[in-house]
């Protein structure tokens, strides 16, 4: 099952030969566990960037909806009111006549434009709320990863000390067994305790690697 999952991650069909996989010694966790990280680290997360882009797009739509409610008037030097006769001031070819038409159009559709503006503003508010939710979740992910790494460091330190104590106890029991003070069963128990301590150390080390990856993911870092 694990080999099939690895093949899928590599873009290969299950059952295909896999490349040489790195050993456990190739994975080295960071030497120091971060206690706190700046808020800027979450800016690179794809979900935060997508939410920010949605806010920017909604803001642009809201600005466009507001601008649509007001006529855009451009006057030039040729748009004068000179005419040979007063009756020709409002003919179809006069600039003022065209200007009046362009000004009146948004007024006639003010109800629809107002609703369009309200909808754009509502979408902007929704995008802001979604952005806030995404950013807060990003901070939660980073905080969980940091707390996990700190707990992993303590657990690994305890596992290392437990393994050292188990190995010392096994060496002492071996010496006792050679002197005839204890039997083989006691020696086997001490040996089993060493193996159990090694398993616990390996589990703590693996948990630290997993949480290290989680911290990189929470920060939006690909590497």
């Amino acid at each position: 099952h694990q080999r099939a999952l690895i093949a899928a991650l590599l873009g290969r069909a299950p059952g295909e030969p896999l490349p040489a996989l790195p050993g456990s010694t190739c994975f080295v966790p960071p030497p120091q566990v971060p206690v706190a990280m700046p808020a800027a680290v979450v800016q690179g997360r794809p979900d935060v960037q997508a939410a920010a882009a949605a806010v920017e797009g909604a803001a642009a739509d809201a600005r466009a909806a507001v601008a649509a409610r007001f006529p855009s008037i451009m006057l030039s030097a040729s748009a004068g009111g000179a005419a040979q006769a007063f009756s020709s001031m409002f003919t179809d070819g006069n600039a003022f006549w065209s200007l009046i038409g362009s000004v009146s159009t948004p007024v006639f559709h003010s109800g629809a434009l107002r609703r369009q503006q309200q909808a754009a503003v509502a979408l902007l508010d929704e995008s802001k709320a979604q952005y806030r939710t995404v950013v807060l979740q990003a901070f939660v992910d980073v905080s969980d990863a940091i707390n996990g790494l700190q707990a992993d460091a303590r657990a690994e330190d305890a596992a290392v000390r437990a393994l050292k104590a188990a190995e010392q106890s096994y060496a002492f029991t071996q010496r006792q067994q050679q002197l005839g003070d204890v039997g083989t069963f006691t020696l086997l128990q001490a040996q089993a305790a060493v193996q159990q301590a090694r398993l616990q150390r390996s589990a703590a080390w693996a948990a630290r690697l997993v949480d290290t990856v989680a911290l990189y993911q929470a920060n939006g870092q690909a590497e």
Side-chain angles (χ1 to χ4, degrees):
H1 178 69
Q2 296 299 327
R3 295 184 66 86
L5 291 177
I6 295 174
L9 292 174
L10 294 176
R12 302 187 179 189
E16 289 188 10
L18 298 178
L21 300 178
S24 59
T25 56
C26 296
F27 300 99
V28 180
Q32 295 181 349
V33 177
V35 178
M37 303 189 74
V41 297
V42 302
Q43 292 181 350
R45 286 174 55 122
D47 54 348
V48 173
Q49 292 181 345
V55 173
E56 294 176 358
D61 292 341
R63 288 192 297 268
V66 172
R69 293 189 59 190
F70 300 94
S72 178
I73 302 174
M74 296 182 61
L75 296 177
S76 64
S78 61
Q84 295 295 329
F86 181 79
S87 59
S88 64
M89 288 288 293
F90 303 101
T91 57
D92 291 342
N94 189 278
F96 281 113
W97 183 257
S98 301
L99 181 62
I100 291 174
S102 64
V103 171
S104 302
T105 299
V107 177
F108 295 148
H109 300 283
S110 61
L113 292 174
R114 187 183 305 110
R115 289 189 293 272
Q116 181 179 351
Q117 177 187 346
Q118 292 172 348
V121 172
L123 180 60
L124 176 59
D125 292 338
E126 180 182 352
S127 299
K128 289 180 179 178
Q130 179 64 23
Y131 177 75
R132 182 175 183 273
T133 301
V134 171
V135 171
L136 287 177
Q137 183 60 49
F139 287 139
V140 170
D141 293 342
V142 173
S143 176
D144 289 345
I146 292 177
N147 292 334
L149 278 176
Q150 291 175 339
D152 294 338
R154 292 191 296 268
E156 186 176 10
D157 180 67
V160 169
R161 287 187 282 107
L163 175 58
K164 184 177 180 180
E167 290 175 341
Q168 290 177 346
S169 176
Y170 176 66
F172 181 71
T173 304
Q174 274 187 316
R175 180 59 177 168
Q176 286 184 310
Q177 198 267 344
Q178 293 172 356
L179 295 175
D181 294 337
V182 298
T184 304
F185 180 73
T186 302
L187 181 64
L188 292 176
Q189 284 183 318
Q191 186 178 19
V194 172
Q195 296 300 326
Q196 183 64 29
R198 287 176 179 171
L199 290 175
Q200 291 178 350
R201 185 194 61 177
S202 298
W205 177 79
R208 186 179 176 190
L209 287 180
V210 170
D211 286 335
T212 300
V213 174
L215 179 60
Y216 278 100
Q217 291 178 334
N219 293 339
Q221 299 179 17
E223 299 180 356

